[in-house]
Amino acid sequence: MKQVAERAGVHVSTVSRALNPETRSMVVPESVARVMKAASELGYRLDPVAASLRTGRSKLVGILVPDIATNVFTPILTGATERLSEHGYSVIVAYVGGDSNKQLDLAQGLIARRVDGLILATASRDDPLVSFCIERGVPSVLVNRAEKETRLSGVVSDDLLGAQLAVDHLVELGHSRIAHLGGPREHSTGYLRHRGFIHALAANGLDAASAPTEFAETYTREQGAAAARRLLSAHPEVTAIVAANDLLALGAYDVIREAGLNCPRDISVVGHNDMPLVDMVEPPLTTIRISHKEMGRQAADLLQQAIETLDHPARNVVLPPKLIVRGSTGAPRKGAMKKAAKTAASNKSASISNEV
Amino acid sequence: MKQVAERAGVHVSTVSRALNPETRSMVVPESVARVMKAASELGYRLDPVAASLRTGRSKLVGILVPDIATNVFTPILTGATERLSEHGYSVIVAYVGGDSNKQLDLAQGLIARRVDGLILATASRDDPLVSFCIERGVPSVLVNRAEKETRLSGVVSDDLLGAQLAVDHLVELGHSRIAHLGGPREHSTGYLRHRGFIHALAANGLDAASAPTEFAETYTREQGAAAARRLLSAHPEVTAIVAANDLLALGAYDVIREAGLNCPRDISVVGHNDMPLVDMVEPPLTTIRISHKEMGRQAADLLQQAIETLDHPARNVVLPPKLIVRGSTGAPRKGAMKKAAKTAASNKSASISNEV
DNA sequence: CTGAAAGCGCTAACAT
DNA sequence: ATGTTAGCGCTTTCAG
């Protein structure tokens, strides 16, 4: 930097000001030009480490994602990274397991690296890491999963509505024996999609209280299959399954096939997420589409706001999901149409509250 | 740190030495204990930014991946991140497009952040970024794709062998009219899988020179479909397709279906990568399995070596791929078995060289 | 084995 | 508008 200063015939502090967009206006344009020229001639670039040490800021943000990053988290990551890098931020990714202490450690490590903010894709409905970030005053936002209470800004899909869309679609096809293949209830996704399912059933005049329901412990095809097996053996009468997630739905496919049944002839299945390739499985999966990449982008925006205006109110962005009808849903099998809700029931359930 | 020093009754430099594993041995154990105690009581952690400014090292590594991170790069990333974080490194991910200048910029940004090393998942067969990293003396390794010449260490799958496995399998099933759906030839994967295809054909006594071949410009389902369309309209006689990649193979599925044909009855298809869910598409895809996560892990190991012993020889790790037979391959359709190689041809082609 | 002191490269008061 | 100066928190010679 000193060399640049000499070459441009100014003092280092002027170089600093000229090179930093935020302070550039303090310097007369002519000097700026000379500094820029000298810098590029010398191939000089500001040292972010030294700057970071001095300012406490870093233009770095940390993203914590679950280590099972095989599906929805990748587009969230790319969306967020893309947007963030447009604004000069770099992204440190930490893949975290379920261990809450290790999560805290990782977060502390990132904070020690002076990240300007954190994006958490890992939150449970009541997450100690969120408390931690708030205590430490680190600008943070949630993505994909929200907490029970809105303590931090975040962006999620309208999971309640998504599940309702699924149920409404099935009811329109004539189903009344609808079961739920639920996800982990400690995550807002699992919890809300279940609640959306229940509400939609009731709104369609079906018996929500006794609706067959099984929960998978994790969002995997295997756990989905296990839960589906429990579901179908206890309730052979069901004609349709609303799964909390595509992978779970695919697990249900496995079970349906191994039971010698056919989807959708014997049982209809609806997934959630519309992850890549589910349009190519057999049968192509009817599901609820979420734009995960857009979630990532908006989370990035939210985080930038949180960084810039430190004392901002927590704000929740809820993205609308969309029903994508493909081949895994159809009319219920003959003999199963008992007391079906004949009223055209679409959207009956659209106005229930969206608290987590 | 000064506070810790006071509390432990030693000088800051002793604290520094005690807290750093590398220099801990210089300090008498008793002092170490006192320092550790004081530090944990004060909740003190070393500041990596300040340390980095002083030492020039950072315990940070950068990974450059193509921004189309929808498939194989995620497991590479998680594998590498997992392994690296075991050794105290954090990972900065940069998603890069094809623009070579932007790539250089991004890399420079990472270097400015004083990353200890770089993992490149983006390399073309002759990549300016590799030259750049070498010039700048930044420890770097390649993953998934290699260069024509081995200038840097790297880990790849044996792409040549993979393609051969595919061809041998098809020949064993009785095919002789085998076409290639190639990937971008500027990448080692596209280039080598094509060469493997050619060699295997020749090794099986088939006419390699005139084998129908079309190349997709990118590894996407859409480009795969486009290339497959060209392929099948020019060569309706083919009974089997060796695709350079699963996504390409899936594009071929689309075309086969739109032509009113059936896979595998009319045409067999083999993919490459064994990405998630290709076992669930219809028909389940026969493909070449690569352990991308393992590639990521080994790349991490290689990078650590490169960081530790600066003047090491470039070393190429080649991982063995595996044929996974599923439902997309079968005997050739009747009337198509012309001059099929009747000799049991398996592994005939196993010993050709593996240069990129 | 430990203490002293000199910076790593930058930024932000403060002074001019 | 620009120059002066004092560190940010650490590591690492160099002395003792």
Side-chain angles (χ1 to χ4, degrees):
Chain A
M1 181 150 149
K2 237 188 294 188
Q3 296 178 40
V4 176
E6 267 175 43
R7 201 174 231 273
V10 294
H11 192 265
V12 287
S13 60
T14 305
V15 174
S16 171
R17 289 190 269 253
L19 256 25
N20 186 282
E22 322 248 297
T23 50
R24 179 137 51 218
S25 55
M26 299 176 163
V27 179
V28 57
E30 183 198 321
S31 306
V32 173
R34 284 218 313 287
V35 170
M36 299 291 249
K37 182 154 162 291
S40 78
E41 281 168 5
L42 292 166
Y44 169 83
R45 317 190 51 156
L46 275 175
D47 183 329
V49 177
S52 181
L53 178 60
R54 182 60 233 247
T55 61
R57 280 165 283 116
S58 64
K59 283 288 184 184
L60 229 43
V61 329
I63 307 193
L64 269 63
V65 294
D67 55 4
I68 40 81
T70 168
N71 40 15
V72 308
F73 297 103
T74 303
I76 293 179
L77 245 181
T78 51
T81 302
E82 207 173 282
R83 184 62 59 89
L84 250 9
S85 65
E86 282 168 21
H87 296 269
Y89 288 91
S90 296
V91 169
I92 303 194
V93 193
Y95 293 93
V96 307
D99 182 352
S100 176
N101 280 346
K102 262 191 77 182
Q103 286 191 20
L104 281 193
D105 247 38
L106 241 10
Q108 273 190 302
L110 292 173
I111 293 170
R113 288 225 148 87
R114 288 202 183 16
V115 292
D116 293 342
L118 247 25
I119 296 181
L120 310 177
T122 53
S124 56
R125 288 184 61 237
D126 183 0
D127 200 307
L129 184 51
V130 172
S131 312
F132 178 78
C133 292
I134 293 173
E135 277 166 30
R136 301 284 309 250
V138 188
S140 311
V141 303
L142 269 25
V143 66
N144 193 42
R145 303 173 181 171
E147 279 202 303
K148 195 170 358 187
E149 267 177 283
T150 299
R151 301 191 286 170
L152 247 30
S153 289
V155 32
V156 293
S157 172
D158 193 335
D159 291 313
L160 210 49
L161 176 60
Q164 293 171 39
L165 256 24
V167 171
D168 289 349
H169 169 60
L170 258 8
V171 168
E172 263 181 84
L173 287 171
H175 290 270
S176 60
R177 308 264 189 205
I178 306 174
H180 183 52
L181 187 50
R185 273 165 294 180
E186 67 271 24
H187 296 143
S188 62
T189 49
Y191 178 82
L192 280 178
R193 288 168 195 175
H194 175 228
R195 269 203 41 198
F197 170 79
I198 295 290
H199 280 258
L201 242 38
N204 281 294
L206 295 172
D207 182 4
S210 67
T213 302
E214 287 288 339
F215 293 92
E217 280 161 42
T218 59
Y219 283 121
T220 59
R221 186 167 153 189
E222 292 70 27
Q223 292 290 323
R229 207 167 286 122
R230 295 196 298 272
L231 197 60
L232 292 185
S233 66
H235 302 278
E237 77 279 9
V238 313
T239 63
I241 295 177
V242 172
N245 161 300
D246 290 342
L247 248 16
L248 262 29
L250 263 17
Y253 272 33
D254 292 333
V255 174
I256 289 169
R257 197 166 299 150
E258 90 193 13
L261 299 173
N262 175 279
C263 170
R265 212 188 44 232
D266 302 309
I267 301 191
S268 289
V269 175
V270 184
H272 208 126
N273 278 349
D274 195 25
M275 59 186 251
L277 296 197
V278 292
D279 61 321
M280 293 207 87
V281 301
E282 183 51 37
L285 183 66
T286 295
T287 189
I288 305 298
R289 175 176 295 169
I290 295 177
S291 174
H292 290 101
K293 193 161 184 180
E294 180 61 19
M295 276 188 12
R297 283 195 213 103
Q298 299 226 21
D301 292 341
L302 243 30
L303 183 61
Q304 275 189 80
Q305 288 174 30
I307 290 171
E308 278 157 29
T309 81
L310 244 48
D311 216 18
H312 66 123
R315 193 156 68 84
N316 240 308
V317 176
V318 179
L319 266 26
K322 201 179 153 194
L323 173 72
I324 305 293
V325 178
R326 290 198 273 248
S328 66
T329 48
R333 59 179 181 269
K334 306 298 173 193
M337 276 187 82
K338 198 176 137 192
K339 61 167 180 177
K342 291 290 182 190
T343 52
S346 76
N347 289 332
K348 256 198 178 166
S349 54
S351 64
I352 65 175
S353 89
N354 193 29
E355 43 174 315
V356 182
Chain B
M1 182 150 147
K2 237 189 293 187
Q3 296 178 38
V4 176
E6 265 176 43
R7 201 173 231 273
V10 294
H11 193 262
V12 288
S13 58
T14 304
V15 173
S16 171
R17 289 189 269 253
L19 256 26
N20 186 283
E22 322 247 299
T23 50
R24 182 142 43 220
S25 55
M26 298 176 162
V27 179
V28 55
E30 184 197 321
S31 305
V32 174
R34 283 218 313 288
V35 170
M36 299 292 248
K37 182 155 162 289
S40 78
E41 281 168 5
L42 292 166
Y44 170 83
R45 316 189 54 153
L46 247 77
D47 183 330
V49 178
S52 181
L53 177 60
R54 181 61 230 250
T55 61
R57 281 165 282 116
S58 64
K59 283 290 183 180
L60 230 44
V61 328
I63 306 193
L64 270 64
V65 294
D67 55 5
I68 42 83
T70 170
N71 40 14
V72 308
F73 297 102
T74 304
I76 293 179
L77 246 182
T78 52
T81 302
E82 207 174 283
R83 183 61 60 90
L84 249 9
S85 64
E86 282 167 21
H87 296 267
Y89 288 91
S90 296
V91 168
I92 304 195
V93 194
Y95 292 94
V96 307
D99 182 352
S100 176
N101 279 346
K102 261 192 78 182
Q103 286 190 19
L104 281 193
D105 246 38
L106 241 10
Q108 274 189 303
L110 292 174
I111 293 171
R113 286 223 148 88
R114 287 192 174 32
V115 293
D116 293 341
L118 248 25
I119 296 181
L120 311 176
T122 53
S124 56
R125 289 183 63 238
D126 184 0
D127 199 308
L129 184 51
V130 172
S131 311
F132 178 78
C133 291
I134 292 172
E135 278 167 28
R136 301 283 310 252
V138 188
S140 311
V141 302
L142 269 26
V143 66
N144 193 43
R145 303 172 181 172
E147 279 202 305
K148 196 171 355 193
E149 266 178 283
T150 299
R151 300 190 287 169
L152 288 175
S153 290
V155 31
V156 293
S157 172
D158 192 336
D159 290 314
L160 209 49
L161 175 60
Q164 293 172 38
L165 256 24
V167 171
D168 288 349
H169 167 63
L170 258 9
V171 168
E172 264 182 80
L173 287 171
H175 290 269
S176 59
R177 308 264 190 205
I178 306 173
H180 184 52
L181 187 50
R185 274 164 295 180
E186 67 271 25
H187 295 145
S188 62
T189 49
Y191 178 82
L192 280 178
R193 289 170 194 175
H194 175 229
R195 269 202 41 199
F197 170 80
I198 296 289
H199 280 258
L201 242 38
N204 280 293
L206 295 170
D207 182 4
S210 68
T213 301
E214 287 288 341
F215 292 92
E217 280 161 43
T218 59
Y219 283 122
T220 59
R221 185 168 154 188
E222 291 70 27
Q223 292 291 322
R229 206 167 285 124
R230 296 195 298 272
L231 196 61
L232 292 185
S233 67
H235 302 277
E237 76 280 8
V238 312
T239 63
I241 295 176
V242 172
N245 161 299
D246 290 341
L247 247 17
L248 262 30
L250 262 18
Y253 272 33
D254 292 332
V255 173
I256 289 169
R257 197 166 299 152
E258 88 191 18
L261 299 174
N262 175 279
C263 170
R265 212 185 46 231
D266 302 310
I267 301 190
S268 290
V269 175
V270 184
H272 210 125
N273 278 348
D274 194 24
M275 60 185 251
L277 296 197
V278 293
D279 61 321
M280 293 208 86
V281 301
E282 182 53 36
L285 182 67
T286 295
T287 188
I288 305 298
R289 174 176 297 169
I290 295 177
S291 174
H292 291 100
K293 192 159 185 185
E294 180 61 19
M295 277 188 12
R297 282 194 214 106
Q298 299 226 22
D301 291 340
L302 242 31
L303 183 60
Q304 276 189 76
Q305 288 174 31
I307 291 171
E308 276 156 30
T309 81
L310 244 48
D311 216 16
H312 66 123
R315 194 156 70 82
N316 241 307
V317 176
V318 179
L319 266 25
K322 200 179 154 193
L323 173 72
I324 305 292
V325 178
R326 289 197 274 249
S328 67
T329 48
R333 60 179 179 268
K334 307 297 174 194
M337 277 188 82
K338 198 176 141 192
K339 60 168 179 174
K342 291 292 179 188
T343 52
S346 77
N347 289 333
K348 254 197 178 167
S349 54
S351 64
I352 66 176
S353 88
N354 193 28
E355 44 174 315
V356 184

